[in-house]
Amino acid sequence: MKAIILFGAPGSGKGTVAERIKAVTGYIHISTGDMLRAAVKNGTAVGREAEAYMKRGELVPDEVIIKLVEERLDKGGPEDLYMFDGFPRTVPQSELLEKSLGRRGGKVTHVLFLDTPRDVLLQRLTGRRTCRKCGWNCHIVNLPPKKSGICNLCGGELYQRPDDQEATIVNRLEVYNKQTESLIARYDRQKVLVKVNSNQKVDKLVEDIRQILK
Ligand code: AP5
């Protein structure tokens, strides 16, 4: 069981890149943000607990996230290749992942740090639209849908995530700087961190990542 981590600030392109990498490799995409949004939509106990944190742009408590990921890994097999997106975000989460993979004879092979300037993050997040039905992401200027307001994949309605309002975005970026960015040094020490320029066309970015993973 091996894993890579897509790491970066909100809007750095983790979800966009993950979809493309998934389509051309054997990696299984695990996004804690998508798992939480599904839990909120389905009104589960996890969803009810997570919703208020997400609306404020704060991190959901580690215990909730750790349980979600453990349950997902329990369903996996020894040959699985995982691509984490939005996880880990804190030191306890990264320690849990290492222990959990270790118990299954696995490890993190690469942490791909999607490096993106702050003004680009703001432009991307304010223009992002997401499909209400299947979760597909696009951007009204950078990567527009074929038909305005309609998902390219399933024809569902595109909406603006509640945490993509400007005030919440600013809080999410602050939370990232305070609570998550410190993981960069940890992964650098472990010699698994690879910095990638995310401020370029998606196709080129995906190609750069594929070369790194070869
Ligand atoms: P989560 O869903 O993980 O959100 P995030 O980390 O804030 O990341 P985003 O989904 O906003 O951005 P992204 O990097 O995926 O960018 P995207 O590809 O969409 O988490 C949401 C919330 O859940 C958190 O705030 C927290 O409350 C909670 N949570 C989740 N995980 C947690 C955890 N582990 N611990 C605690 N709490 C947790 O791209 C953005 C836009 O840019 C899109 O419109 C896209 O089309 C466009 N774009 C992407 N790449 C490019 C490019 N190269 N060029 C031009 N445009 C681009």
Side-chain angles (χ1 to χ4, degrees), residues 131-149:
C131 176
R132 221 179 261 291
K133 218 161 133 192
C134 74
W136 180 71
N137 265 342
C138 61
H139 190 282
I140 49 175
V141 177
N142 305 357
L143 298 158
K146 287 181 190 148
K147 245 179 158 184
S148 172

Side-chain angles (χ1 to χ4, degrees), residues 177-195:
N177 290 336
K178 277 198 195 140
Q179 291 175 261
T180 304
E181 212 175 35
S182 60
L183 283 180
I184 293 173
R186 180 180 165 84
Y187 286 125
D188 197 26
R189 281 197 299 278
Q190 294 180 2
K191 303 203 185 312
V192 287
L193 187 78
V194 189
K195 197 172 179 177

